[in-house]
Amino acid sequence: MLFRVLLLAVMVAVLSSCSNATDDIGDKVESLFKQVTGQPEVVEVEDRTISSSESVSSSSDANSSTEESIVLADNSAYSSEGVSASESTNSESSSSESSPSSESSSSSESSSSSESSSSSESSSSQTSSSSSEAEESQVAIIEKSPLEGLSESGVSFTLYFAYDGYDIDDETTKQIIAHANFMRDNSGYRLRLEGHADERGTREYNLALGENRALSVKDVLGLYELASRIDVVSYGEEKPISTDHNESAWKQNRRVEFIYESN
Amino acid sequence: MKKLFIFCLFFYSGIATAVLEVTILKRAENAFPIVIAPFEVVGNAEQGKAIAKIMSDNLNRSGRFNASSAMSVFHSEDDINFKAWQANNTEALVFGKVEQVSKTIFNVWVYLYDTYSKKRLYADKFAVHNSGIRRISHFLSDQIYDALLGERGSFDTRLAYVTVFNLADGRREYRLEISDSDAQNAQAILKSNEPILSPAWSPDQRKIAYVHFRNARSEVFIQYPFERRKTHKLPVFDGIASSPSWHPNGKSLLLTLSKNGNKDIYSYDIQTKSVTRITKDPGIDTEASYSADGKRIVFTSNRSGQVQVYIKNLSTNKVSRATFEGKYNSKAVFSPNGKQLALVHRVDKDYRIALLDIATRDLTVLTNNKLDESPYFSPNGGMIIFATNNDDSGVLSVVSIIGGQAFELASKKGEVREPNWSHYLK
């Protein structure tokens, strides 16, 4: 449940930046997470990017990540080590390492130095509360779980669908593949796919429609032999993101949500 | 003389804590003109004053009557000026008396006269407990309906529906409520923060089947609102279980199950707990319900690429498409005589309630809203109740088949959804 809250919050922030993600995002995400899981010390490097891009997102993110740090605070050896490491990188500031995720969101991958300046610019301009918040996220970064890494990589945890539709397009497929790679590399997680519909049409039909959307996503993940770790549920039109009665609300509500649960 | 009559357009909202409020939208012409005089009250029997009001409201809602009140109380037949009533085109007159017998027991007398023939068409006397005042009012409405039209009324029946309230902490509260046929006397029989869907009265009116997300997935439950008996959960099936509706014999339910992800219609036998598949199609099949004789089912399917309504004849196993007008037709139910369907019909971007003649395929749109859902016939087929979306809140409405008279039963606080009309009380 904690994950769910956390993910939803992060998801919203990440979503806007990843909407124009590039073709190679899946591969990139895969490689990122091999690094993340294989070598914990690399995490800080990735985190630099995240702290700059994440600071864009709302303060609730910072709150949730501090919560996360409290939960994991028992792991003293690792965390103290991490704190020192992260503080040092913090003092280096967000110049050299701040590239990957911000790049992946801003499409073309070029030299990291040129990108870094723009991303640091954006981070400084967008973080009005600045330093204290950055410190908070620094602390959180240390204990980052693979799941946080996934959410911070620009992968969307919510996929959207056309009216009365449950087809998966190419762009959606890429997102799903990123999740597939994550699941393959992190066998400790189960995935709950929640299908939803907009308010138009009848409730029972929408319940069926929502399940078909989640099942479509599961079908793609099934190609990676992950089906046994996936639960599918549908809420139909009962849990809308927006309760307005217009197209922009309906668009947000026709969706499948990815909710990871650790075993 | 005409000024003597007050046309009562305001519905009764005094007794108990009424949640819903009724508003008349349209008034039928050519309806049977009837006057229901205020009942004579003897002793401390103020509750009895509600009887005439409830009856009048019931008859008006049916679309078959134009009921109004009289200025004065009638004590006996001698008080009736038949000529004056004839001159006023009033064809029938009801009056009665409520007398307190004990603290909680009342005697109720009621009389119905034909103002032209001057004959007494109906008269009866009842001893009624305080809590039964509303029930007797509905019962008497049915008696008058039958005496004047030769048909059974649908007033002494119940509704089930779902209400939704937004709580201060951001969560929602769902309530499964049951009420009288006029949406008064409402009681919540289930409250939950998780969605409740598709309530359905059993034919014996002792049970309600519904979908509840109590366990974070759609499962079907059967609750006994009038008995000290535990709510019964149907076995967990693979995937969603939803859209329960009863066989007319009450022994089995139609369900939508998504075994292996494919949503089809199944019959679930309550006694044996066995499941029989009824439809088989790769698309979505859902929202199934039986005809009154149990020989056909109607359901929603997207098998054609559009959402349309189909009928399966259970003796021939033949499936035929029922709706051809419009790109979206769903949630159909048979009329009690089996000749018509009430369904949700998409008109441009709006979802409205329509009536389909199965044989001729004539489709009549009955409502004029944006988001209407869940039509359901009254037991005599004279009215259709449905949920709609009005000014950002859900409301219950009733439309009469004859007269096209529409009523709104609006929730003051939250949304009201998915009304289901019980069969006749036994």
Side-chain angles (χ1 to χ4, degrees), chain A residues 66 74 110 129 162 182 193 197 217 225 235 256 260:
Chain A
T66 46
D74 291 358
S110 56
S129 56
F182 170 79
L193 294 170
V217 175
E225 294 177 349
Y235 278 101
V256 169
Y260 285 99

Side-chain angles (χ1 to χ4, degrees), chain A:
Chain A
M1 203 59 206
L2 179 65
F3 274 138
R4 188 179 164 180
V5 174
L6 198 147
L7 289 180
L8 280 172
V10 173
M11 177 193 82
V12 173
V14 170
L15 206 74
S16 54
S17 64
C18 76
S19 59
N20 54 351
T22 55
D23 284 358
D24 56 347
I25 184 164
D27 298 340
K28 190 182 288 177
V29 167
E30 183 178 15
S31 62
L32 284 181
F33 289 111
K34 278 186 176 147
Q35 289 175 4
V36 170
T37 49
Q39 306 159 294
E41 62 272 23
V42 183
V43 171
E44 276 82 40
V45 179
E46 302 303 333
D47 288 343
R48 293 304 315 118
T49 75
I50 285 131
S51 65
S52 60
S53 66
E54 267 304 293
S55 55
V56 174
S57 67
S58 65
S59 59
S60 67
D61 267 346
N63 292 340
S64 56
S65 52
T66 46
E67 270 179 43
E68 188 68 13
S69 71
I70 292 161
V71 170
L72 297 166
D74 291 358
N75 195 350
S76 55
Y78 177 71
S79 64
S80 61
E81 195 182 15
V83 168
S84 61
S86 72
E87 271 167 358
S88 64
T89 51
N90 191 23
S91 61
E92 280 170 41
S93 116
S94 55
S95 55
S96 62
E97 295 114 338
S98 61
S99 40
S101 79
S102 57
E103 271 171 26
S104 66
S105 60
S106 62
S107 75
S108 68
E109 180 167 5
S110 56
S111 72
S112 61
S113 57
S114 64
E115 281 296 305
S116 63
S117 60
S118 68
S119 68
S120 62
E121 250 177 52
S122 67
S123 68
S124 61
S125 65
Q126 279 155 320
T127 50
S128 51
S129 56
S130 67
S131 61
S132 65
E133 204 174 279
E135 274 170 29
E136 267 185 36
S137 58
Q138 279 305 308
V139 176
I141 282 150
I142 304 143
E143 297 89 2
K144 194 180 59 149
S145 72
L147 197 52
E148 280 180 277
L150 180 63
S151 62
E152 287 159 357
S153 71
V155 172
S156 176
F157 284 71
T158 308
L159 302 178
Y160 299 93
F161 292 79
Y163 169 73
D164 196 29
Y166 39 89
D167 292 338
I168 305 281
D169 62 19
D170 289 351
E171 185 49 47
T172 308
T173 305
K174 278 167 206 151
Q175 296 283 335
I176 299 171
I177 289 170
H179 284 280
N181 288 330
F182 170 79
M183 288 190 75
R184 200 173 52 190
D185 298 340
N186 296 277
S187 56
Y189 288 100
R190 288 189 66 81
L191 175 60
R192 178 175 152 96
L193 294 170
E194 271 190 16
H196 300 268
D198 69 32
E199 65 180 354
R200 291 174 296 169
T202 48
R203 293 179 189 280
E204 283 286 356
Y205 181 80
N206 284 336
L207 191 62
L209 185 61
E211 195 192 42
N212 272 8
R213 285 176 177 153
L215 287 169
S216 296
V217 175
K218 186 184 176 183
D219 282 349
V220 178
L221 292 167
L223 300 174
Y224 296 78
E225 294 177 349
L226 296 164
S228 63
R229 288 163 57 200
I230 296 169
D231 299 310
V232 161
V233 294
S234 173
Y235 278 101
E237 62 179 278
E238 306 307 319
K239 299 212 166 176
I241 295 289
S242 168
T243 52
D244 292 341
H245 309 295
N246 54 48
E247 181 51 49
S248 72
W250 296 330
K251 231 173 176 171
Q252 294 177 64
N253 295 337
R254 297 189 296 261
R255 69 199 192 277
V256 169
E257 292 184 12
F258 288 67
I259 295 150
Y260 285 99
E261 285 148 358
S262 54
N263 287 342

Side-chain angles (χ1 to χ4, degrees), chain B residues 167-237:
Chain B
L167 302 176
D169 63 4
R171 289 185 304 166
R172 290 175 138 189
E173 181 171 285
Y174 294 79
R175 291 184 190 170
L176 175 55
E177 295 190 11
I178 59 175
S179 73
D180 294 348
S181 67
D182 55 357
Q184 299 293 316
N185 203 19
Q187 318 165 45
I189 62 165
L190 174 67
K191 293 181 187 179
S192 174
N193 294 126
E194 293 300 327
I196 301 167
L197 285 177
S198 304
W201 284 106
S202 63
D204 65 4
Q205 225 213 75
R206 287 174 51 237
K207 306 182 273 286
I208 294 179
Y210 56 88
V211 173
H212 188 195
F213 283 74
R214 187 165 83 186
N215 304 316
R217 58 189 301 137
S218 59
E219 295 171 325
V220 177
F221 295 80
I222 296 173
Q223 188 165 334
Y224 303 82
F226 311 115
E227 295 170 52
R228 286 174 184 271
R229 216 167 138 180
K230 261 187 140 183
T231 296
H232 166 72
K233 189 180 95 172
L234 266 53
V236 175
F237 303 98

Side-chain angles (χ1 to χ4, degrees), chain B residues 269-281:
Chain B
D269 189 306
I270 293 167
Q271 196 88 61
T272 66
K273 300 188 176 178
S274 62
V275 169
T276 313
R277 190 171 188 163
I278 293 186
T279 67
K280 192 171 185 179
D281 184 88

